[in-house]
Amino acid sequence: MCGIVGYVGKRPVVDLLLKGLGQLEYRGYDSTGIAVERSGEKKIEILKSEGKLENVARLAKELDQAAKGATCGMGHTRWATHGKPTTQNAHPHRTGHVVLVHNGIIENYAEIKREMASKGYHPVSETDSELFGFLVLEEMKAGKKLRPAVTASFRRITGSCSVVVMSDLEPGTVVGIRNGTPMVAATDPKGGGILASDAQPLLDLTKDVIFLEDGVGVEITEAGLKFFEFANDAEVRPATTHLDWNAENMEKGGYPTFMRKEIFEQPTAIVDTLNATLDRAKTEAFPLAKHRASDLLLAAEEIVFVACGTSWHAALLGKYWIEKYARIPVAVELASEFRYRDPVLKPKTLVIGITQSGETADTLAVLKDMKKRGVPTAAITNVRGSSISREADGTFFTAAGPEVGVASTKAFMAQLVTLLCFAGARSKVGPQAAGIDPKVSKKLFEHTLALPHAIQTFLGDEQGLAKQVKAIAKALDDAKGFFFIGRGYSFPMALEGALKLKELAYVYAEGYAAGELKHGPIAMIEEGMVVVVLAPKDSWRDKTVSNLEEVKARGAKIVSVGEAGDTHLRSLSDHWIPLPHLEDEALLPFAMAPVVQLLSYEIALLKGTNIDKPRNLAKSVTVE
Ligand code: M6R
């Protein structure tokens, strides 16, 4: 779960690496480093530091001309797995003339460590990564050039990871291999090429990029890119993907944080995802665009969603919608649990992995396992070329655009859009469709098309919902802890609200199905606790209001989220956030999402946490 960038060409590499690492910091940010080849010298210089990129950027200012003139180098931003986040454990690691960066895990590191110790190699860091350098050094000692030495060494290790290696002895060369964690490469139109853990650092140079498959590596020199399989060193020619992502998308666009920008981009994410999921040339309700994944969805008799975190909450809503509108059974599974179970799946079950990053290790592992068992698989992801999109039999791409804030907001919204479209589309096909009134999905479709406008109006600008939520957040600053409660569609939103608050503000928060409160958690309610009650005017509202009264009677402060005209609910609440009137109760989660996101955001702001990069987290969780 680290970020890697490497470059050889004609551009000054120090700035290029620092900028690229800035774009990859979401992958991990507890230490950073760069290695650059001093111009005119056969010598690689390393700068590294614990903490954020700014520490290395400060060191880079002190570099002499030979290092500043470098046009070949690599960098790394780390999320610690083996060894503490210290400068010593930061990448790049040097072993003799070999310098490397690594993302992922070397599972057989203990065995390699023993073997290397017997040859006199002793690591100076606590990382598994450094051992890889010993292997390469040994191979080069035996007479191999850098690239074959790297592939031979890679064949010795197990576990999913990527490495990028340079050597003082082979100036102007960067060799990278991908096996289980992502790597994207591109030719620099000015000469040479670039690689990185995702496409963002490449976009300043070109939009034509190559997503490496597992098992494939790339050698970059000023002459360009050469791709090869590490298993047998054979050269390969992977396909190029043209990305329509705009480098400007990556900037904050005037917002103080990426997360805030991404919250306000949600109406656009809804529009773009509807356009991506549906065949908009057709007038019928929910006409899914035709491709492999939509064929699989329409043929399935049961669906199992697997996901983690916020994507799992989206899956729960997907279950509610699909079961209600399409009447086919849906199971929702935590990928980290499902992968180690021995599940029983009926024939014609489709397993769908939901992951905004497309790289989440547990979700990916489930799809790989299902593939081995011959179970059809599909994916919902926001990232083209991501690992899951290459693993699944078919993929639905959400169109939220790049999401940089670690907390998922617009990508979550886009997942909801896709899942709602699944429900509408599935209501029309399959044996169960005979019993479903087509008018229902037609109405839902009309209301769905009106959704982007409704959410845009609701969100408004900084003077609207955001201002109101900010004032409430201020009044809650001294809370001992939070419960988010809801029933029906509001239950997954309660889980999502609590997760957001934990990850952004680091305060105690629980999400509960309101009906579960009296089965234990109500014992936690006392003065000083805040209960956020999600009680829009839907089929569950009255029952949730009864639960509100129970916690109010026990001293909790109440923040209610309900329909604007619900004066009774308002009168029971200490703080009140009115929702817009949406024609269909199934669409209410789209309005509740920005409320819980902004509430967590504002509380986090008051606590002074790092909103875009919360502690201990990373945007894509490529380790289990
Ligand atoms: O990339 P994924 O959607 O697979 O990520 C899953 C979770 O790690 C992710 O949703 C996490 O819970 C977010 N940080 C929540 O905001």
Side-chain angles (χ1 to χ4, degrees):
M1 186 130 75
C2 307
I4 291 177
V5 55
Y7 176 80
V8 184
K10 297 199 183 312
R11 304 175 197 249
V13 79
V14 174
D15 286 348
L16 186 147
L17 295 176
L18 292 175
K19 182 167 183 202
L21 290 176
Q23 290 163 319
L24 294 175
E25 258 193 318
Y26 71 85
R27 300 181 61 83
Y29 37 78
D30 48 36
S31 60
T32 318
I34 60 171
V36 298
E37 195 180 278
R38 296 173 61 78
S39 95
E41 298 174 27
K42 287 192 166 183
K43 181 93 185 116
I44 296 164
E45 179 152 347
I46 297 175
L47 297 182
K48 57 184 185 176
S49 169
E50 63 186 50
K52 296 247 170 70
L53 177 63
E54 61 212 35
N55 296 346
V56 171
R58 212 171 301 121
L59 296 174
K61 286 204 182 112
E62 308 301 322
L63 284 170
D64 63 17
Q65 279 316 313
K68 279 189 178 146
T71 57
C72 169
M74 62 190 178
H76 186 270
T77 173
R78 178 167 185 249
W79 189 78
T81 51
H82 278 68
K84 291 179 283 298
T86 58
T87 301
Q88 197 161 54
N89 290 335
H91 301 219
H93 294 286
R94 176 184 275 281
T95 304
H97 58 82
V98 173
V99 178
L100 75 96
V101 295
H102 169 237
N103 171 23
I105 291 173
I106 299 176
E107 280 172 358
N108 56 341
Y109 80 97
E111 172 196 315
I112 293 176
K113 192 171 176 182
R114 272 194 303 277
E115 180 193 326
M116 289 293 131
S118 71
K119 294 183 178 168
Y121 292 104
H122 299 287
V124 292
S125 74
E126 300 163 309
T127 66
D128 51 351
S129 316
E130 193 185 349
L131 298 168
F132 191 79
F134 298 161
L135 294 174
V136 179
L137 197 63
E138 277 286 287
E139 296 289 350
M140 289 185 82
K141 256 193 197 163
K144 289 198 176 77
K145 299 274 286 171
L146 178 62
R147 177 177 135 188
V150 173
T151 50
S153 305
F154 211 89
R155 292 195 282 267
R156 296 279 324 275
I157 60 170
T158 58
S160 81
C161 64
S162 321
V163 291
V164 182
V165 190
M166 296 166 66
S167 161
D168 293 329
L169 301 187
E170 267 187 57
T173 309
V174 165
V175 177
I177 298 185
R178 173 202 159 120
N179 198 34
T181 59
M183 189 177 286
V184 195
T187 301
D188 181 355
K190 287 193 175 171
I194 182 167
L195 63 77
S197 303
D198 86 18
Q200 293 171 54
L202 282 52
L203 294 178
D204 277 350
L205 278 54
T206 178
K207 290 199 179 135
D208 294 316
V209 308
I210 292 149
F211 291 96
L212 274 68
E213 296 287 339
D214 280 341
V216 172
V218 58
E219 180 180 33
I220 310 181
T221 62
E222 217 181 297
L225 310 182
K226 278 187 186 157
F227 294 91
F228 54 86
E229 280 174 4
F230 83 79
N232 53 15
D233 288 314
E235 297 222 352
V236 287
R237 285 177 178 273
T240 299
T241 306
H242 181 76
L243 292 179
D244 48 12
W245 286 10
N246 185 334
E248 282 156 33
N249 287 6
M250 304 314 305
E251 302 307 328
K252 289 189 193 139
Y255 287 94
T257 59
F258 281 109
M259 183 182 171
R260 196 158 191 93
K261 171 174 173 268
E262 287 155 6
I263 289 174
F264 281 92
E265 283 173 345
Q266 293 185 104
T268 314
I270 300 176
V271 173
D272 291 345
T273 304
L274 283 171
N275 288 341
T277 313
L278 302 175
D279 180 348
R280 303 286 282 118
K282 294 193 177 145
T283 49
E284 68 192 68
F286 295 106
L288 277 190
K290 195 168 163 40
H291 47 74
R292 177 86 180 109
S294 48
D295 288 347
L296 287 167
L297 177 74
L298 297 178
E301 287 180 7
E302 293 202 15
I303 294 173
V304 175
F305 287 123
V306 288
C308 307
T310 288
S311 295
W312 186 75
H313 300 155
L316 279 178
L317 275 160
K319 173 183 170 75
Y320 282 44
W321 285 325
I322 296 169
E323 290 192 343
K324 175 175 165 74
Y325 291 105
R327 310 298 304 145
I328 59 168
V330 178
V332 176
E333 301 278 356
L334 288 166
S336 53
E337 288 297 315
F338 191 73
R339 70 181 285 193
Y340 294 113
R341 285 215 327 258
D342 194 5
V344 180
L345 298 175
K346 288 199 185 143
K348 299 210 175 166
T349 296
L350 177 64
V351 175
I352 305 181
I354 309 181
T355 158
Q356 61 77 25
S357 64
E359 303 294 345
T360 297
D362 287 319
T363 311
L364 203 53
V366 172
L367 256 66
K368 284 185 177 160
D369 183 43
M370 291 300 117
K371 234 175 151 179
K372 274 195 216 136
R373 295 177 184 220
V375 176
T377 57
I380 302 177
T381 183
N382 196 43
V383 181
R384 282 185 189 272
S386 54
S387 301
I388 203 144
S389 68
R390 278 167 301 133
E391 203 57 56
D393 296 323
T395 302
F396 294 89
F397 289 104
T398 52
E403 188 178 70
V404 179
V406 165
S408 186
T409 52
K410 61 175 182 169
F412 170 67
M413 197 67 121
Q415 289 169 344
L416 297 190
V417 171
T418 308
L419 291 162
L420 184 69
C421 291
F422 281 12
R426 269 312 309 246
S427 71
K428 299 182 296 178
V429 298
Q432 88 301 343
I436 298 173
D437 181 355
K439 284 196 210 112
V440 175
S441 70
K442 195 163 175 291
K443 273 258 164 294
L444 181 68
F445 186 52
E446 281 165 16
H447 299 151
T448 301
L449 294 183
L451 194 57
H453 179 72
I455 300 304
Q456 176 77 72
T457 313
F458 177 50
L459 254 175
D461 58 17
E462 292 289 344
Q463 297 309 311
L465 175 69
K467 192 173 171 194
Q468 194 186 351
V469 171
K470 191 183 185 74
I472 294 175
K474 257 194 186 155
L476 305 178
D477 203 22
D478 57 348
K480 280 189 200 159
F482 288 76
F483 272 75
F484 286 72
I485 60 167
R487 288 171 183 254
Y489 302 125
S490 303
F491 165 50
M493 295 314 303
L495 295 176
E496 177 61 4
L499 174 64
K500 281 283 164 294
L501 191 52
K502 279 183 275 216
E503 77 171 328
L504 291 169
Y506 321 151
V507 298
Y508 174 76
E510 294 272 10
Y512 259 93
E516 276 291 296
L517 271 185
K518 56 171 78 71
H519 299 289
I522 202 163
M524 299 287 299
I525 302 296
E526 59 181 359
E527 260 181 46
M529 292 294 282
V530 174
V531 180
V532 180
V533 183
L534 303 177
K537 269 220 169 128
D538 59 15
S539 318
W540 299 271
R541 182 248 176 224
D542 295 352
K543 297 228 175 297
T544 308
V545 171
S546 311
N547 300 125
L548 178 161
E549 303 205 55
E550 288 156 11
V551 290
K552 190 177 165 66
R554 286 161 178 83
K557 207 180 253 184
I558 307 293
V559 179
S560 300
V561 182
E563 190 168 287
D566 195 341
T567 47
H568 176 59
L569 178 61
R570 184 178 189 165
S571 69
L572 294 172
S573 316
D574 298 286
H575 303 283
W576 162 244
I577 304 173
L579 293 171
H581 173 78
L582 297 177
E583 289 298 333
D584 203 309
E585 66 180 30
L587 301 179
L588 285 163
F590 292 94
M592 284 186 272
V595 172
V596 297
Q597 292 161 355
L598 282 167
L599 187 62
S600 307
Y601 183 99
E602 294 298 343
I603 294 172
L605 208 60
L606 293 168
K607 304 272 178 213
T609 60
N610 186 339
I611 288 184
D612 279 337
K613 293 172 191 148
R615 69 185 180 199
N616 308 337
L617 296 177
K619 184 74 184 161
S620 61
V621 185
T622 53
V623 290
E624 62 175 300

